[in-house]
Amino acid sequence: GCKFDTDTFSQFLTALSVQNPNYIRSLSLSNSKTGSAGLAALTELINKCPNLVEIEADGFEPNELGPLLDFWGAIGNHKSILLSIR
């Protein structure tokens, strides 16, 4: 996969979320190391993707609890994602 610096990756996620991302059905992001800002951007993207049915994300390494709780809240409240924790 591609490796981007944390700011660029967070900006990419934010840019996706403002593009009316109805076409995104699956997301897989690993080892991004974007911290709380990246996780907040991913949460925003999840909330803007009504047809998202699958997400795999790890390695964000947030330094605050709030963005992690917001992320899991977005997953739990999403209409088309069925929660499965491995």
Side-chain angles (χ1 to χ4, degrees):
C2 296
K3 185 70 175 164
F4 297 99
D5 66 79
T6 59
D7 290 336
T8 302
F9 191 72
S10 294
Q11 290 171 2
F12 172 72
L13 293 176
T14 300
L16 275 178
S17 70
V18 298
Q19 297 297 318
N20 194 21
N22 293 330
Y23 55 89
I24 298 176
R25 296 186 43 80
S26 179
L27 282 172
S28 181
L29 308 165
S30 65
N31 204 24
S32 70
K33 297 184 186 205
T34 57
S36 296
L39 197 54
L42 177 59
T43 301
E44 183 180 342
L45 178 58
I46 289 167
N47 288 329
K48 301 275 180 86
C49 293
N51 298 316
L52 186 64
V53 295
E54 178 181 40
I55 182 167
E56 181 179 359
D58 69 18
F60 278 82
E61 300 178 357
N63 54 5
E64 303 169 79
L65 185 57
L68 185 61
L69 295 175
D70 292 343
F71 169 76
W72 280 109
I75 296 291
N77 293 324
H78 200 280
K79 303 289 186 219
S80 60
I81 297 174
L82 297 178
L83 186 60
S84 174
I85 300 174
R86 291 187 222 169

Coordinates of all heavy atoms in Angstrom, one line a residue:
G1 N 0.8 -1.2 0.0 CA 0.0 0.0 0.0 C 0.9 1.3 0.0 O 2.1 1.2 0.1
C2 N 0.2 2.4 -0.1 CA 0.9 3.7 -0.1 C 1.1 4.1 1.3 O 0.3 3.9 2.2 CB 0.0 4.7 -0.9 SG -0.2 4.3 -2.6
K3 N 2.1 4.9 1.5 CA 2.4 5.5 2.8 C 2.5 7.0 2.7 O 3.3 7.5 1.9 CB 3.7 5.0 3.3 CG 4.0 5.4 4.7 CD 3.1 4.8 5.7 CE 3.5 5.1 7.1 NZ 2.5 4.9 8.1
F4 N 1.6 7.7 3.4 CA 1.6 9.2 3.3 C 1.9 9.7 4.7 O 1.6 9.1 5.7 CB 0.2 9.7 2.9 CG -0.2 9.3 1.5 CD1 -1.1 8.2 1.3 CD2 0.2 10.0 0.4 CE1 -1.4 7.8 0.1 CE2 -0.1 9.6 -0.9 CZ -1.0 8.5 -1.0
D5 N 2.3 11.0 4.8 CA 2.5 11.6 6.1 C 1.1 11.8 6.7 O 0.1 11.8 6.1 CB 3.3 12.9 6.0 CG 2.6 14.0 5.3 OD1 1.7 14.6 5.9 OD2 2.9 14.2 4.1
T6 N 1.1 11.9 8.0 CA -0.2 11.9 8.8 C -1.1 13.1 8.4 O -2.3 12.9 8.2 CB 0.1 12.0 10.3 OG1 0.8 13.1 10.6 CG2 0.8 10.7 10.7
D7 N -0.5 14.3 8.1 CA -1.4 15.4 7.7 C -2.0 15.2 6.4 O -3.2 15.5 6.2 CB -0.5 16.7 7.7 CG -0.1 17.2 9.1 OD1 -0.8 16.8 10.1 OD2 0.9 17.9 9.2
T8 N -1.2 14.7 5.4 CA -1.7 14.5 4.1 C -2.9 13.4 4.1 O -3.9 13.6 3.5 CB -0.6 14.0 3.1 OG1 0.4 15.0 3.1 CG2 -1.1 13.8 1.8
F9 N -2.7 12.4 4.9 CA -3.7 11.3 5.0 C -5.0 11.8 5.6 O -6.1 11.6 5.1 CB -3.1 10.1 5.8 CG -4.0 8.9 5.7 CD1 -4.1 8.2 4.5 CD2 -4.8 8.5 6.7 CE1 -4.9 7.1 4.4 CE2 -5.6 7.4 6.7 CZ -5.6 6.7 5.5
S10 N -4.9 12.6 6.7 CA -6.0 13.2 7.3 C -6.8 14.2 6.4 O -8.0 14.1 6.3 CB -5.6 14.0 8.6 OG -5.1 13.1 9.6
Q11 N -6.0 15.0 5.6 CA -6.6 15.9 4.6 C -7.3 15.1 3.5 O -8.4 15.5 3.1 CB -5.6 16.8 4.1 CG -5.0 17.8 5.0 CD -3.8 18.6 4.5 OE1 -3.4 18.4 3.4 NE2 -3.3 19.4 5.3
F12 N -6.8 14.0 3.1 CA -7.4 13.1 2.1 C -8.7 12.6 2.6 O -9.7 12.7 1.9 CB -6.5 11.9 1.8 CG -7.1 10.9 0.9 CD1 -7.3 11.2 -0.5 CD2 -7.4 9.7 1.4 CE1 -7.9 10.3 -1.3 CE2 -8.0 8.7 0.6 CZ -8.3 9.0 -0.8
L13 N -8.8 12.1 3.8 CA -10.0 11.6 4.4 C -11.1 12.7 4.5 O -12.2 12.5 4.1 CB -9.8 11.0 5.8 CG -9.0 9.7 5.8 CD1 -8.8 9.3 7.3 CD2 -9.7 8.6 5.0
T14 N -10.6 13.9 4.9 CA -11.6 15.1 5.0 C -12.1 15.4 3.6 O -13.3 15.7 3.4 CB -10.9 16.2 5.6 OG1 -10.5 15.9 7.0 CG2 -11.8 17.5 5.7
A15 N -11.2 15.4 2.6 CA -11.6 15.8 1.2 C -12.6 14.8 0.7 O -13.5 15.2 0.0 CB -10.4 15.8 0.3
L16 N -12.4 13.5 1.0 CA -13.4 12.5 0.6 C -14.8 12.8 1.1 O -15.8 12.6 0.5 CB -12.9 11.1 1.0 CG -12.0 10.3 0.1 CD1 -11.6 9.0 0.7 CD2 -12.6 10.1 -1.3
S17 N -14.8 13.2 2.4 CA -16.1 13.3 3.1 C -16.9 14.5 2.5 O -18.1 14.5 2.7 CB -15.9 13.5 4.6 OG -15.3 14.7 4.9
V18 N -16.3 15.4 1.9 CA -17.1 16.5 1.3 C -17.4 16.3 -0.2 O -18.0 17.2 -0.8 CB -16.3 17.9 1.5 CG1 -16.1 18.2 2.9 CG2 -15.0 17.9 0.7
Q19 N -17.1 15.2 -0.7 CA -17.3 14.9 -2.1 C -18.6 14.1 -2.4 O -18.7 13.4 -3.4 CB -16.2 14.1 -2.7 CG -14.9 14.9 -2.7 CD -15.0 16.1 -3.6 OE1 -15.5 16.1 -4.7 NE2 -14.4 17.2 -3.1
N20 N -19.6 14.1 -1.4 CA -20.8 13.3 -1.5 C -20.4 11.8 -1.8 O -20.8 11.3 -2.9 CB -21.7 13.9 -2.6 CG -23.1 13.3 -2.6 OD1 -23.5 12.8 -1.6 ND2 -23.8 13.4 -3.7
P21 N -19.8 11.2 -0.9 CA -19.3 9.8 -1.1 C -20.3 8.7 -1.0 O -20.1 7.7 -0.3 CB -18.2 9.7 0.0 CG -18.7 10.5 1.1 CD -19.5 11.6 0.4
N22 N -21.4 8.8 -1.8 CA -22.4 7.8 -1.8 C -21.9 6.5 -2.4 O -22.5 5.4 -2.1 CB -23.7 8.2 -2.5 CG -24.3 9.4 -1.8 OD1 -24.3 9.5 -0.6 ND2 -25.0 10.2 -2.6
Y23 N -20.9 6.5 -3.2 CA -20.4 5.3 -3.9 C -19.5 4.4 -3.0 O -19.2 3.3 -3.4 CB -19.6 5.8 -5.1 CG -18.5 6.8 -4.8 CD1 -17.2 6.3 -4.4 CD2 -18.7 8.1 -4.7 CE1 -16.2 7.2 -4.1 CE2 -17.7 9.0 -4.4 CZ -16.5 8.5 -4.1 OH -15.5 9.4 -3.7
I24 N -19.1 4.9 -1.8 CA -18.2 4.1 -1.0 C -19.0 3.1 -0.2 O -19.8 3.4 0.6 CB -17.4 5.0 0.0 CG1 -16.5 6.0 -0.8 CG2 -16.5 4.1 0.9 CD1 -15.7 7.0 0.0
R25 N -18.7 1.8 -0.5 CA -19.3 0.7 0.2 C -18.4 0.0 1.2 O -18.8 -0.7 2.1 CB -19.9 -0.3 -0.8 CG -21.0 0.3 -1.6 CD -21.7 -0.6 -2.5 NE -22.0 -1.9 -2.0 CZ -23.1 -2.2 -1.2 NH1 -23.9 -1.2 -0.8 NH2 -23.3 -3.4 -0.8
S26 N -17.1 0.1 0.9 CA -16.1 -0.6 1.7 C -14.8 0.3 1.9 O -14.4 1.0 1.0 CB -15.7 -1.9 1.0 OG -14.7 -2.6 1.8
L27 N -14.3 0.3 3.1 CA -13.1 1.1 3.4 C -12.1 0.1 4.1 O -12.5 -0.6 5.0 CB -13.3 2.3 4.3 CG -13.9 3.5 3.8 CD1 -14.3 4.5 4.9 CD2 -13.0 4.1 2.8
S28 N -10.9 0.2 3.8 CA -9.8 -0.6 4.5 C -8.6 0.3 4.6 O -8.0 0.7 3.6 CB -9.5 -1.9 3.7 OG -8.5 -2.6 4.4
L29 N -8.3 0.6 5.8 CA -7.2 1.5 6.1 C -6.3 0.9 7.2 O -6.9 0.5 8.3 CB -7.7 2.9 6.6 CG -8.7 3.6 5.7 CD1 -9.4 4.7 6.5 CD2 -8.1 4.1 4.5
S30 N -5.1 0.7 7.0 CA -4.3 0.1 8.0 C -3.0 0.9 8.3 O -2.4 1.5 7.4 CB -3.9 -1.4 7.6 OG -3.1 -1.4 6.5
N31 N -2.6 0.8 9.6 CA -1.4 1.4 10.1 C -1.2 2.9 9.6 O -0.1 3.3 9.2 CB -0.2 0.5 9.6 CG 1.0 0.7 10.5 OD1 0.9 1.1 11.6 ND2 2.2 0.4 9.9
S32 N -2.2 3.7 9.7 CA -2.1 5.0 9.2 C -1.3 6.0 10.2 O -0.8 6.9 9.7 CB -3.5 5.6 9.0 OG -4.2 5.8 10.3
K33 N -1.4 5.7 11.5 CA -0.7 6.5 12.5 C -1.0 8.0 12.4 O -0.1 8.8 12.5 CB 0.8 6.2 12.4 CG 1.2 4.8 12.7 CD 2.7 4.6 12.7 CE 2.9 3.1 12.9 NZ 4.0 2.6 13.4
T34 N -2.2 8.3 12.1 CA -2.6 9.7 12.0 C -3.2 10.3 13.3 O -3.6 11.5 13.3 CB -3.7 9.8 10.9 OG1 -4.8 9.0 11.2 CG2 -3.1 9.5 9.5
G35 N -3.2 9.5 14.3 CA -3.6 10.1 15.6 C -5.1 10.5 15.7 O -5.9 10.0 14.9
S36 N -5.4 11.3 16.6 CA -6.7 11.8 16.9 C -7.3 12.5 15.7 O -8.5 12.4 15.4 CB -6.8 12.7 18.1 OG -6.4 12.0 19.3
A37 N -6.5 13.3 15.0 CA -7.0 14.1 13.8 C -7.4 13.2 12.7 O -8.5 13.4 12.1 CB -6.0 15.1 13.3
G38 N -6.7 12.1 12.5 CA -7.0 11.2 11.4 C -8.2 10.4 11.8 O -9.1 10.1 10.9
L39 N -8.4 10.0 13.0 CA -9.5 9.2 13.4 C -10.8 10.1 13.4 O -11.9 9.6 13.0 CB -9.3 8.7 14.9 CG -10.3 7.6 15.3 CD1 -10.3 6.4 14.3 CD2 -9.9 7.1 16.7
A40 N -10.7 11.4 13.7 CA -11.8 12.3 13.6 C -12.2 12.5 12.1 O -13.4 12.5 11.8 CB -11.5 13.7 14.2
A41 N -11.2 12.6 11.2 CA -11.5 12.7 9.8 C -12.2 11.4 9.3 O -13.1 11.5 8.5 CB -10.2 13.0 9.0
L42 N -11.7 10.2 9.8 CA -12.4 9.0 9.3 C -13.8 8.9 9.9 O -14.7 8.5 9.1 CB -11.6 7.8 9.9 CG -12.2 6.4 9.6 CD1 -12.3 6.2 8.1 CD2 -11.3 5.3 10.2
T43 N -14.0 9.4 11.1 CA -15.4 9.4 11.6 C -16.3 10.3 10.8 O -17.5 9.9 10.5 CB -15.4 9.8 13.1 OG1 -14.5 9.0 13.8 CG2 -16.8 9.9 13.7
E44 N -15.8 11.4 10.4 CA -16.6 12.3 9.6 C -16.9 11.6 8.2 O -18.0 11.7 7.7 CB -15.8 13.6 9.3 CG -16.5 14.6 8.5 CD -15.7 15.9 8.3 OE1 -14.7 16.1 9.0 OE2 -16.0 16.6 7.3
L45 N -15.9 10.9 7.6 CA -16.2 10.2 6.4 C -17.2 9.2 6.6 O -18.1 9.0 5.7 CB -14.9 9.6 5.9 CG -14.9 8.8 4.6 CD1 -15.5 9.7 3.4 CD2 -13.6 8.3 4.2
I46 N -17.1 8.4 7.6 CA -18.1 7.3 7.9 C -19.5 7.9 8.0 O -20.5 7.4 7.4 CB -17.8 6.6 9.2 CG1 -16.5 5.7 9.0 CG2 -18.9 5.7 9.7 CD1 -15.9 5.2 10.3
N47 N -19.7 9.0 8.6 CA -21.0 9.7 8.8 C -21.5 10.2 7.4 O -22.7 10.4 7.3 CB -20.9 10.8 9.8 CG -20.8 10.3 11.2 OD1 -21.2 9.2 11.6 ND2 -20.1 11.1 12.0
K48 N -20.7 10.4 6.5 CA -21.1 10.9 5.2 C -21.3 9.8 4.1 O -21.6 10.1 3.0 CB -20.1 11.9 4.6 CG -19.9 13.1 5.5 CD -20.9 14.2 5.3 CE -20.7 15.4 6.2 NZ -19.8 16.4 5.7
C49 N -21.1 8.6 4.5 CA -21.1 7.4 3.5 C -22.4 6.6 3.9 O -22.3 5.6 4.6 CB -19.9 6.6 3.6 SG -18.4 7.4 3.1
P50 N -23.5 6.9 3.3 CA -24.7 6.2 3.6 C -24.8 4.7 3.2 O -25.5 3.9 3.7 CB -25.9 7.0 3.0 CG -25.2 7.6 1.8 CD -23.8 7.9 2.3
N51 N -23.9 4.4 2.2 CA -23.9 3.0 1.6 C -22.8 2.2 2.1 O -22.6 1.1 1.6 CB -23.9 3.1 0.1 CG -25.2 3.8 -0.4 OD1 -26.3 3.5 0.0 ND2 -25.0 4.7 -1.4
L52 N -22.0 2.7 3.1 CA -20.9 1.9 3.6 C -21.4 0.7 4.4 O -22.3 0.8 5.3 CB -20.1 2.8 4.6 CG -18.8 2.3 5.1 CD1 -17.8 2.1 4.0 CD2 -18.2 3.3 6.2
V53 N -20.9 -0.5 4.0 CA -21.3 -1.7 4.7 C -20.1 -2.4 5.4 O -20.4 -3.3 6.2 CB -22.0 -2.7 3.7 CG1 -23.3 -2.1 3.2 CG2 -21.1 -3.1 2.6
E54 N -18.9 -2.0 5.1 CA -17.8 -2.7 5.6 C -16.6 -1.7 5.9 O -16.4 -0.8 5.0 CB -17.3 -3.8 4.7 CG -16.1 -4.5 5.1 CD -15.7 -5.5 4.1 OE1 -15.7 -5.3 2.9 OE2 -15.3 -6.6 4.5
I55 N -16.0 -1.8 7.0 CA -14.9 -0.9 7.3 C -13.8 -1.7 8.1 O -14.2 -2.5 9.0 CB -15.2 0.4 8.1 CG1 -14.0 1.2 8.3 CG2 -16.0 0.0 9.4 CD1 -14.3 2.6 8.8
E56 N -12.6 -1.6 7.7 CA -11.5 -2.2 8.4 C -10.5 -1.0 8.6 O -10.0 -0.4 7.7 CB -10.9 -3.3 7.6 CG -9.7 -4.0 8.3 CD -9.1 -5.1 7.4 OE1 -9.6 -5.3 6.3 OE2 -8.1 -5.7 7.9
A57 N -10.2 -0.7 9.9 CA -9.3 0.4 10.2 C -8.5 0.0 11.4 O -9.0 -0.4 12.4 CB -10.1 1.7 10.4
D58 N -7.2 0.2 11.3 CA -6.3 0.0 12.5 C -5.1 0.9 12.5 O -4.8 1.6 11.5 CB -5.9 -1.4 12.6 CG -4.9 -1.9 11.6 OD1 -4.3 -1.0 10.9 OD2 -4.7 -3.1 11.4
G59 N -4.4 1.0 13.6 CA -3.2 1.8 13.6 C -3.3 3.3 13.6 O -2.4 4.0 13.3
F60 N -4.5 3.8 14.0 CA -4.6 5.3 14.0 C -3.9 5.9 15.2 O -3.4 7.0 15.2 CB -6.1 5.7 14.1 CG -6.7 5.7 12.7 CD1 -7.1 4.5 12.1 CD2 -6.8 6.9 12.0 CE1 -7.7 4.5 10.8 CE2 -7.3 6.9 10.7 CZ -7.8 5.7 10.1
E61 N -3.8 5.2 16.3 CA -3.0 5.6 17.5 C -3.4 7.0 18.0 O -2.6 7.9 18.1 CB -1.5 5.6 17.2 CG -1.0 4.2 16.9 CD 0.5 4.2 16.6 OE1 1.2 5.2 16.6 OE2 1.0 3.0 16.3
P62 N -4.7 7.2 18.3 CA -5.2 8.5 18.8 C -4.6 8.7 20.2 O -4.4 7.8 21.0 CB -6.7 8.3 18.9 CG -6.9 6.9 19.1 CD -5.8 6.2 18.3
N63 N -4.3 10.0 20.5 CA -3.7 10.3 21.8 C -4.8 10.9 22.8 O -4.5 11.4 23.8 CB -2.6 11.3 21.7 CG -3.0 12.6 20.9 OD1 -4.1 12.7 20.5 ND2 -2.0 13.4 20.6
E64 N -6.1 10.8 22.3 CA -7.2 11.3 23.2 C -8.3 10.2 23.1 O -8.4 9.5 22.1 CB -7.7 12.6 22.6 CG -6.7 13.7 22.6 CD -7.3 14.9 21.8 OE1 -8.1 15.6 22.4 OE2 -7.0 15.0 20.6
L65 N -9.1 10.1 24.1 CA -10.2 9.1 24.1 C -11.4 9.6 23.3 O -12.1 8.7 22.7 CB -10.6 8.8 25.6 CG -11.6 7.7 25.8 CD1 -11.2 6.4 25.2 CD2 -11.9 7.6 27.3
G66 N -11.7 10.9 23.3 CA -12.8 11.4 22.6 C -13.0 10.9 21.1 O -14.0 10.4 20.8
P67 N -12.0 11.1 20.3 CA -12.1 10.7 18.9 C -12.3 9.2 18.8 O -13.0 8.7 17.9 CB -10.7 11.1 18.3 CG -10.3 12.2 19.1 CD -10.7 11.9 20.5
L68 N -11.8 8.4 19.7 CA -12.0 6.9 19.6 C -13.4 6.6 19.9 O -14.1 5.8 19.3 CB -11.0 6.2 20.6 CG -11.0 4.7 20.5 CD1 -10.7 4.1 19.1 CD2 -10.1 4.1 21.6
L69 N -14.0 7.2 21.0 CA -15.4 7.0 21.3 C -16.3 7.5 20.2 O -17.3 6.8 19.9 CB -15.7 7.7 22.6 CG -15.0 7.2 23.9 CD1 -15.3 8.0 25.1 CD2 -15.3 5.7 24.1
D70 N -16.0 8.6 19.6 CA -16.8 9.1 18.5 C -16.8 8.2 17.3 O -17.8 8.0 16.7 CB -16.3 10.5 18.1 CG -16.5 11.6 19.1 OD1 -17.3 11.4 20.0 OD2 -15.8 12.7 19.0
F71 N -15.6 7.6 17.0 CA -15.5 6.6 15.9 C -16.4 5.4 16.2 O -17.2 5.1 15.3 CB -14.0 6.2 15.8 CG -13.8 5.0 14.9 CD1 -13.8 5.1 13.6 CD2 -13.6 3.7 15.5 CE1 -13.7 4.1 12.7 CE2 -13.4 2.7 14.6 CZ -13.4 2.8 13.3
W72 N -16.3 4.8 17.4 CA -17.1 3.7 17.7 C -18.6 4.0 17.7 O -19.5 3.2 17.3 CB -16.7 3.0 18.9 CG -15.5 2.1 18.7 CD1 -14.2 2.3 19.1 CD2 -15.4 0.9 17.9 NE1 -13.4 1.4 18.6 CE2 -14.1 0.5 17.9 CE3 -16.4 0.2 17.2 CZ2 -13.7 -0.7 17.2 CZ3 -16.0 -1.0 16.5 CH2 -14.7 -1.4 16.5
G73 N -18.9 5.2 18.1 CA -20.3 5.7 18.1 C -20.8 5.8 16.7 O -22.0 5.4 16.4
A74 N -20.0 6.3 15.8 CA -20.4 6.4 14.4 C -20.6 5.0 13.8 O -21.6 4.8 13.0 CB -19.4 7.2 13.6
I75 N -19.8 4.1 14.1 CA -19.9 2.7 13.6 C -21.2 2.1 14.2 O -22.0 1.5 13.4 CB -18.7 1.8 14.1 CG1 -17.4 2.3 13.4 CG2 -19.0 0.3 13.7 CD1 -17.3 2.1 11.9
G76 N -21.4 2.2 15.5 CA -22.6 1.6 16.1 C -23.9 2.3 15.7 O -24.9 1.6 15.6
N77 N -23.9 3.5 15.3 CA -25.1 4.2 14.9 C -25.4 4.2 13.4 O -26.4 4.7 12.9 CB -25.1 5.7 15.4 CG -25.2 5.8 16.9 OD1 -25.9 5.0 17.5 ND2 -24.5 6.7 17.4
H78 N -24.4 3.7 12.6 CA -24.5 3.7 11.2 C -25.6 2.7 10.7 O -25.7 1.6 11.2 CB -23.2 3.3 10.5 CG -23.1 3.8 9.1 ND1 -23.6 3.1 8.1 CD2 -22.5 4.8 8.6 CE1 -23.4 3.7 6.9 NE2 -22.7 4.8 7.2
K79 N -26.4 3.1 9.8 CA -27.6 2.3 9.4 C -27.2 1.1 8.5 O -28.0 0.1 8.6 CB -28.5 3.2 8.5 CG -29.0 4.4 9.2 CD -30.0 4.1 10.3 CE -30.5 5.3 10.9 NZ -30.7 5.3 12.4
S80 N -26.1 1.1 7.9 CA -25.8 0.0 7.0 C -24.6 -0.8 7.4 O -24.3 -1.8 6.7 CB -25.6 0.5 5.5 OG -24.6 1.4 5.4
I81 N -23.9 -0.5 8.5 CA -22.8 -1.3 8.9 C -23.3 -2.2 10.0 O -23.9 -1.8 11.0 CB -21.7 -0.4 9.5 CG1 -21.1 0.5 8.4 CG2 -20.5 -1.2 10.1 CD1 -20.1 1.6 8.9
L82 N -23.0 -3.5 9.9 CA -23.2 -4.4 10.9 C -21.9 -4.6 11.7 O -20.9 -4.9 11.1 CB -23.7 -5.8 10.4 CG -25.0 -5.8 9.6 CD1 -25.3 -7.1 9.1 CD2 -26.1 -5.3 10.5
L83 N -21.9 -4.4 13.0 CA -20.7 -4.4 13.8 C -20.2 -5.8 14.1 O -21.0 -6.7 14.5 CB -21.0 -3.7 15.2 CG -19.9 -3.5 16.1 CD1 -18.8 -2.6 15.5 CD2 -20.4 -2.9 17.4
S84 N -19.0 -6.0 13.8 CA -18.3 -7.3 14.1 C -16.9 -7.0 14.6 O -16.1 -6.4 13.9 CB -18.2 -8.1 12.8 OG -17.5 -9.3 13.0
I85 N -16.6 -7.4 15.8 CA -15.3 -7.2 16.3 C -14.5 -8.5 16.4 O -15.0 -9.5 16.9 CB -15.4 -6.6 17.8 CG1 -16.2 -5.3 17.7 CG2 -14.0 -6.4 18.4 CD1 -16.4 -4.7 19.1
R86 N -13.3 -8.5 15.8 CA -12.5 -9.7 15.8 C -11.6 -9.7 17.0 O -11.1 -8.8 17.5 CB -11.6 -9.7 14.6 CG -12.4 -10.0 13.4 CD -11.4 -10.2 12.2 NE -12.0 -9.4 11.1 CZ -11.3 -9.2 10.0 NH1 -10.1 -9.7 9.9 NH2 -11.8 -8.6 9.0

